[in-house]
């Protein structure tokens, strides 16, 4: 423990070297995983993602379909009541 506390000790240099090597390995693994994910899923950065716009468009289309169905039902009801009179 005294040697670790001493900033000039050989053990401190060895531990520092091991830590640097470990962190470089972790960075390399992270980079490799990121590239694998991008290639596997066609990953696009979030700021370029159009998910929100596509979802909003799908919701609008469903609303329009619903309104169209209601309008068709109203038209049919008007035609039936006109034929009865």
């Amino acid at each position: 423990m005294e040697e670790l506390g001493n900033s000039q000790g050989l053990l401190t240099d060895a531990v520092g070297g091991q830590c640097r090597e470990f962190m470089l390995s972790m960075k390399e693994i992270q980079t490799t995983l990121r590239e694998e994910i991008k290639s596997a899923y066609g990953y696009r950065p979030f700021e370029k993602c159009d998910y929100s716009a596509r979802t909003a468009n799908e919701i609008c289309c469903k609303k329009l379909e619903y309104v169209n169905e209601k309008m068709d039902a109203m038209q049919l009801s008007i035609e039936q009541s006109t034929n009865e009179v």
Side-chain angles (χ1 to χ4, degrees):
M1 287 305 233
E2 289 177 18
E3 193 169 341
L4 282 175
N6 182 1
S7 63
Q8 303 298 324
L10 294 176
L11 186 57
T12 304
D13 293 339
V15 169
Q18 291 293 323
C19 287
R20 279 189 295 280
E21 185 178 328
F22 175 77
M23 293 306 290
L24 286 173
S25 296
M26 293 303 293
K27 185 176 181 179
E28 184 178 316
I29 290 169
Q30 182 183 20
T31 303
T32 303
L33 286 174
R34 183 180 296 126
E35 292 303 317
E36 289 294 324
I37 290 169
K38 284 181 183 180
S39 66
Y41 295 104
Y43 174 79
R44 293 185 302 185
F46 182 74
E47 59 270 2
K48 294 182 181 177
C49 181
D50 64 344
Y51 178 77
S52 297
R54 284 187 294 128
T55 302
N57 285 340
E58 288 177 22
I59 290 171
C60 287
C61 286
K62 292 295 180 185
K63 287 179 180 179
L64 286 172
E65 287 175 9
Y66 178 76
V67 169
N68 196 24
E69 288 173 8
K70 293 298 179 185
M71 296 289 284
D72 288 344
M74 288 173 58
Q75 182 68 32
L76 184 60
S77 178
I78 291 170
E79 289 174 0
Q80 287 176 350
S81 61
T82 305
N83 290 340
E84 290 176 0
V85 174

